[in-house]
Structure formats: structure tokens, C-alpha cells
Amino acid sequence: MKIEFKKARESHPVSDINVTPMVDVMLVLLIIFMVITPLLSKGVQVNMVKTKNPIPMQAADKSDAILVAVTRDGRTYLNSNQMQPDDLAPKVKDLLTNRLDKTVFIRADQRAKYEKVVSVVDNLRAAGVDQVGLLTEQIPQEKKPIPPKPAGQ
């Protein structure tokens, strides 16, 4: 009985990049970002008033912006902490110390009672707020179709 041993061929290094691990990592990162992104919204979600010509307020998107939210049922939030409107003045005064820009932004629900919003504005003025920004959303503009020109003209 004869046993033959075949000579092992020399293997060459693989020059192809294996992208499967990279794709796996990217999909995991994508899922993490999809889950975390809604949690990053600052403050409380409210249905803001819709206007045709809102004034852009980029300062409201800054990480250190002071946001006061008034919900439909009249609850008041400073950033994401619920509190009574009467308790806003000392808290906001503490937040505004050593700041040059003393602007506070109000996000009021479109169905919130006007009385609650006025109470918040009064308490902010008592805290020494120079500027109050009322945040709104823009009404989506519908594109009007351009009528075709009559033939022959």
C-alpha cells in the first residue's frame, strides 16, 4: 500500500479587502444613530403655531439656548424640566448670569391658552430677560403650476 503525499501549493497572500466586517459596523452605527436622534431634541415636543413668514432664529438651536415650552394643557417647562410659571423667574435669572445675550425662546403649543403664555412672558420679564423669541413653524408653501402659453402667440 502506497501513500502519496501531494505537495502543498504555495498560497499567495489575498489582496482583496473583506468589506463584510466594515458593513456590519456601519449598520450597527446607523441603527444607533436612528435610535438616539429623536432623543436629542431639546425640550418638550409641542405643536407650534404655523405662520406664513416666520423670522429665522438660529440662536434657538444652540446647545446653550434657554427654551421655555408651554404645552396644550398649560404645563410649563424650562428646557425639559417641568415647573410652575411663577418659579421661572429665579431659575432663568440664574441661567442668565454672566451672559451677554439675554434672550429666552418660548415654544408654545398652538392650542395653549393665551393666559398661560402671557404669564410665562411676564415671569421672564421679571427675571430680567431682554429679548423674548416666540418660536413658530412655517406653513409649507404649495407650488402653483405655471399655466401653459397658448399656441401661436
Side-chain angles (χ1 to χ4, degrees), residues 1 131 150:
M1 194 188 244
Q131 298 272 334

Side-chain angles (χ1 to χ4, degrees), residues 42-44 46-51 54-62 65-70 79 103-110 117 121 132-138:
K42 190 173 182 180
V44 178
V46 294
N47 295 327
M48 293 188 289
V49 177
K50 294 178 178 32
T51 59
I55 298 171
M57 296 186 184
Q58 285 83 14
D61 295 332
K62 291 183 179 177
I66 300 172
L67 293 173
V68 177
V70 180
N79 292 330
T103 304
V104 176
F105 299 97
I106 298 177
R107 301 176 70 220
D109 194 286
Q110 61 186 354
V117 178
V121 171
V132 176
L134 299 174
L135 301 178
T136 60
E137 290 180 355
Q138 183 168 1

Side-chain angles (χ1 to χ4, degrees), residues 47-91:
N47 295 327
M48 293 188 289
V49 177
K50 294 178 178 32
T51 59
K52 290 183 182 178
N53 299 314
I55 298 171
M57 296 186 184
Q58 285 83 14
D61 295 332
K62 291 183 179 177
S63 62
D64 64 340
I66 300 172
L67 293 173
V68 177
V70 180
T71 61
R72 178 185 308 181
D73 54 358
R75 289 182 283 168
T76 305
Y77 293 86
L78 177 60
N79 292 330
S80 58
N81 303 323
Q82 183 179 357
M83 60 180 46
Q84 296 296 322
D86 298 335
D87 298 336
L88 276 176
K91 296 275 186 181

Side-chain angles (χ1 to χ4, degrees), residues 16-26:
D16 294 334
I17 297 174
N18 188 1
V19 295
T20 305
M22 183 181 70
V23 170
D24 290 344
V25 169
M26 291 301 175

